[in-house]
Amino acid sequence: MVELPVTLAGIKLHNPTVLASGILGVSASSAALAVAHGAGAVTLKSCGAEPRLGHRGPTILPVPGGLLNAVGLSNPGAAAVAHEIRDFRGRCEVPLVASIFGRTEAEFGEVAAIICDAHPALLEVNVSCPNVSSEFGTPFGLDHDATARITRIVKDIAGTIPVFIKLSPQAHNIGSLARRCQDAGADGITAINSVGPGMAIDVYTRRPILSNLSGGLSGRAVLPVAVRCVYEIAQNVSIPIIGTGGITTPEDALQMILAGATAVGIGTGVHSTGISIFQEVCRGLSEYLEESGFTGLDDIRGAANDR
Ligand code: RRO
């Protein structure tokens, strides 16, 4: 049995699987459930300064190859999430990733201050939600300068807590954007957020199904987009990457690691496979390493990038 430990910006994970943001909400109990089923780290849903209800239903829709979602950043607000982080830390040793968003650049800093006070192991900065542009305007993550400024603001506040910037696959030249984040002080990159937005239309009502009309696509269909993004990012940065997007099987996780990811985010796969997905992916990774004669994930990370 080959062990699978990885280190993300100095934080040790016993395996590379990370519950992705937005899948099991913000409660300490749901995060602990993923830990009990083998996740190497867990990410909470992104939170902002104030509580938000999010969009009206329907907010999530199964489509061929995955899910379309326009949840609309529903969350109980940073103060309540900070309470959940403290609760989680009291019961689990596994690293917790808190995820934050802001409606303005300055608000990213305000939310970071509240959340960092509760000492998550890592901080994810979500500049890439595709579902609130009618309210907030174009996602910050599509603007390289704004993303670099937000990175600097948050890193100044986070201090020793590693800061990971969550990027959108829609960003122009994602490799150079990741480089801007690194230069601005980011400790890592999470890639990717959902793809699109996309739309599904009910042929009987003849109207878009999601109340928000469009939503981000996640699940198996987006894996090739995510792998390409991680590959390009890995060619441009030396900081670690959490490769996220469409991972359902051990082979999917391997593709991400071969593209250069240090850890792998699992989100929609929890819906399609069930909570056992963390253990199943780890078992498959370990078997692959053993059968191929490798001693750990370091032996294969980024191998697809070697030319
Ligand atoms: O809440 C959402 O609608 C949402 C968020 Br914050 C995000 O980052 N990505 C996504 O697909 N949905």
Side-chain angles (χ1 to χ4, degrees), residues 10-225:
I11 306 296
K12 289 191 170 46
L13 277 59
H14 62 87
N15 73 62
T17 63
V18 180
L19 171 69
S21 180
I23 305 303
L24 293 180
V26 295
S27 78
S29 314
S30 344
L33 180 75
V35 170
H37 285 85
V42 289
T43 314
L44 303 183
K45 180 159 177 64
S46 305
C47 70
E50 305 293 337
R52 269 179 68 87
L53 283 176
H55 297 310
R56 266 186 304 112
T59 54
I60 301 181
L61 182 71
V63 292
L67 294 177
L68 215 47
N69 93 82
V71 172
L73 280 161
S74 62
N75 78 97
V81 173
H83 179 77
E84 295 296 328
I85 295 168
R86 292 190 181 94
D87 181 359
F88 178 90
R89 289 183 55 239
R91 40 170 137 164
C92 288
E93 306 247 303
V94 161
L96 178 100
V97 187
S99 180
I100 61 163
F101 72 89
R103 288 169 299 181
T104 62
E105 293 179 20
E107 197 172 276
F108 275 91
E110 291 157 25
V111 179
I114 298 167
I115 292 299
C116 288
D117 204 42
H119 298 285
L122 293 113
L123 187 63
E124 174 186 282
V125 182
N126 185 356
V127 290
S128 50
C129 175
N131 296 329
V132 281
S133 41
S134 55
E135 229 178 306
F136 300 173
T138 309
F140 294 107
L142 302 188
D143 176 338
H144 291 209
D145 293 332
T147 303
R149 284 194 300 271
I150 290 168
T151 303
R152 218 167 270 121
I153 290 169
V154 173
K155 187 59 198 170
D156 279 350
I157 286 161
T160 56
I161 298 175
V163 170
F164 279 58
I165 311 297
K166 185 163 190 179
L167 298 183
S168 165
Q170 280 75 251
H172 173 67
N173 198 343
I174 199 164
S176 80
L177 175 59
R179 182 57 182 255
R180 290 288 303 277
C181 295
Q182 175 175 289
D183 293 346
D187 300 287
I189 300 291
T190 302
I192 55 175
N193 208 318
S194 55
V195 173
M199 182 182 281
I201 294 175
D202 184 323
V203 297
Y204 297 103
T205 62
R206 295 180 280 279
R207 298 285 306 151
I209 297 172
L210 293 174
S211 76
N212 187 54
L213 308 181
S214 65
L217 179 66
S218 62
R220 295 223 78 172
V222 312
L223 178 74
V225 178

Side-chain angles (χ1 to χ4, degrees), residues 212-268:
N212 187 54
L213 308 181
S214 65
L217 179 66
S218 62
R220 295 223 78 172
V222 312
L223 178 74
V225 178
V227 169
R228 187 270 300 165
C229 287
V230 168
Y231 182 94
E232 287 183 12
I233 294 166
Q235 290 188 323
N236 283 274
V237 300
S238 55
I239 52 180
I241 305 164
I242 304 177
T244 307
I247 294 173
T248 312
T249 67
E251 290 73 21
D252 300 341
L254 277 166
Q255 286 196 56
M256 282 293 194
I257 294 162
L258 291 166
T262 294
V264 292
I266 297 181
T268 304

